[in-house]
Amino acid sequence: MAAYFENSDETLVPDALRGFARAHADLLTLDPDHGFLLARDPAPARRVGILSGGGSGHEPLHAGYVGRGMLDVACPGLVFASPHNRQVYEGSLAAARSEGVLHIVKNYTGDRINFGIAAERLAHRDIPCARVLVDDDLATDSEHIAVGRRGTGGAVLIEKILGAAADTGLGLMELQELGTRLAAGCRTLAVASAAHTAPTTGRPAFLLDPEELEYGVGIHGERAPKTVRRRPIGPLVERMALALLETLSPARGSSVITLVNGLGAVTPLELYAVHAELGGLLDDRGIQLARSLVGEYCTALDMRGFSITLLAADQQVLRLYDAPVRTAALHW
């Protein structure tokens, strides 16, 4: 047993949101009635509000990215559960600017349904709304999976770039077009040597032999399509990176943004070693590692694992990525 530090299963998320809002009161406010977080100081040039959300347990995604240069609103659901459509609707009303609101949605059935209902309600109010669907998980790129690829760590990079684009005054359809292009050029793979601890039971969500690795694990604790033998990180990162590169097919000399992301219980020491292997492999293949993030940006509670994300990046994307950002989890 590994019980969570909490008052109860029911209050863990709302308690955490209250604490988060108090810790970052200079950046955001919490709507206590509807459970969304609203940026205090969005760029005045924005004509479109940016909203994202999803289950809690992935912190700092999405609450940590509310603020100047990224999200106007984040809607956190319960642990690994979609936010309610009412929450998304009310958050969208708060986020909307003169040309409406853009929803950045990770590709899960519950999220698609609830964000879709909220969008329909916004249409009845004549508030323009468009969606960018993040579906970067290469492990679920299969014709046998009806919903398609899951949305994972790529959401961090896409939210950053679209936030910067919104700050320049782009319109709703322009942002949706850019976001769709970003999503098409973004893929992620994740591995884990141990599952997360389920809050309701205090036990691991699944068990692995010490010599086994889940290759292609999901951020909600979904088992991978295959369990493989553990290997040193050199061969492991090579296998992951080559699979991502094969899908994206970047030309020699092109640029990528990379994210080496801890899933909750992997040390920075390990993550930087993974980044070193990834950088060397990209160098060998003539792919420019133009920008990079290393750390915990999209977790799965306390899962012992990491993900690698590659995002194809032209000069426009790099300029938007470099634009100033001020949030609890990302700032430059």
Side-chain angles (χ1 to χ4, degrees):
M1 296 286 288
Y4 280 71
F5 293 102
E6 60 186 7
N7 289 314
S8 70
D9 292 343
E10 292 76 21
T11 65
L12 178 55
V13 171
D15 286 349
L17 290 177
R18 287 190 298 107
F20 184 83
R22 188 161 188 173
H24 302 290
D26 58 325
L27 299 175
L28 51 83
T29 60
L30 171 65
D31 184 303
D33 296 324
H34 302 103
F36 62 81
L37 295 155
L38 174 67
R40 283 190 181 275
D41 183 36
R46 283 199 177 190
R47 296 186 289 156
V48 177
I50 307 290
L51 180 148
S52 191
S56 295
H58 305 305
E59 290 72 27
L61 194 75
H62 294 275
Y65 305 123
V66 174
R68 178 69 74 100
M70 285 191 79
L71 301 178
D72 290 287
V73 167
C75 294
L78 297 177
V79 173
F80 293 174
S82 169
H84 193 278
N85 62 79
R86 181 176 59 252
Q87 185 182 5
V88 177
Y89 170 71
E90 294 291 345
S92 298
L93 293 179
R97 299 290 182 267
S98 61
E99 293 193 18
V101 60
L102 180 71
H103 290 168
I104 304 175
V105 184
K106 299 192 304 304
N107 188 30
Y108 297 97
T109 300
D111 288 358
R112 292 179 66 161
I113 291 172
N114 281 299
F115 277 84
I117 293 172
E120 291 175 1
R121 295 184 65 188
L122 291 168
H124 289 304
R125 294 278 298 268
D126 294 323
I127 297 174
C129 180
R131 171 188 295 186
V132 169
L133 194 66
V134 180
D135 57 350
D136 56 315
D137 186 8
L138 187 59
T140 47
D141 193 353
S142 169
E143 61 184 15
H144 304 297
I145 300 175
V147 71
R149 294 184 300 269
R150 299 176 293 219
T152 58
V156 178
L157 302 179
I158 291 172
E159 288 174 7
K160 168 64 188 80
I161 294 162
L162 287 179
D167 284 354
T168 69
L170 287 189
L172 183 61
M173 293 301 102
E174 294 172 302
L175 289 169
Q176 184 185 43
E177 181 180 354
L178 173 60
T180 301
R181 177 165 65 89
L182 291 169
C186 184
R187 293 293 182 273
T188 299
L189 263 176
V191 297
S193 60
H196 71 275
T197 305
T200 54
T201 66
R203 295 185 173 87
F206 57 82
L207 296 175
L208 286 173
D209 183 276
E211 297 304 315
E212 291 180 333
L213 196 71
E214 285 291 286
Y215 184 89
V217 72
I219 59 172
H220 299 121
E222 304 98 332
R223 295 296 299 266
K226 63 181 73 174
T227 300
V228 301
R229 303 300 294 176
R230 291 194 65 169
R231 304 175 68 188
I233 60 168
L236 175 62
V237 171
E238 180 178 23
R239 177 177 180 177
M240 296 169 72
L242 290 180
L244 295 169
L245 290 171
E246 181 179 1
T247 300
L248 295 175
S249 301
R252 192 173 184 87
S254 61
S255 298
V256 295
I257 300 171
T258 66
L259 169 62
V260 173
N261 171 64
L263 293 175
V266 173
T267 66
L269 196 67
E270 296 162 278
L271 294 177
Y272 280 108
V274 169
H275 181 65
E277 295 290 343
L278 176 61
L281 183 139
L282 293 174
D283 290 344
D284 290 345
R285 282 153 183 79
I287 307 300
Q288 182 183 1
L289 200 170
R291 306 288 188 276
S292 60
L293 287 176
V294 181
E296 290 188 341
Y297 294 93
C298 173
T299 61
L301 292 175
D302 61 343
M303 182 179 287
R304 181 150 180 75
F306 69 88
S307 61
I308 295 175
T309 300
L310 300 185
L311 172 66
D314 57 19
Q315 289 303 307
Q316 179 199 22
V317 169
L318 292 177
R319 284 195 301 271
L320 292 171
Y321 180 85
D322 289 340
V325 59
R326 185 170 178 261
T327 69
L330 208 63
H331 42 85
W332 55 69

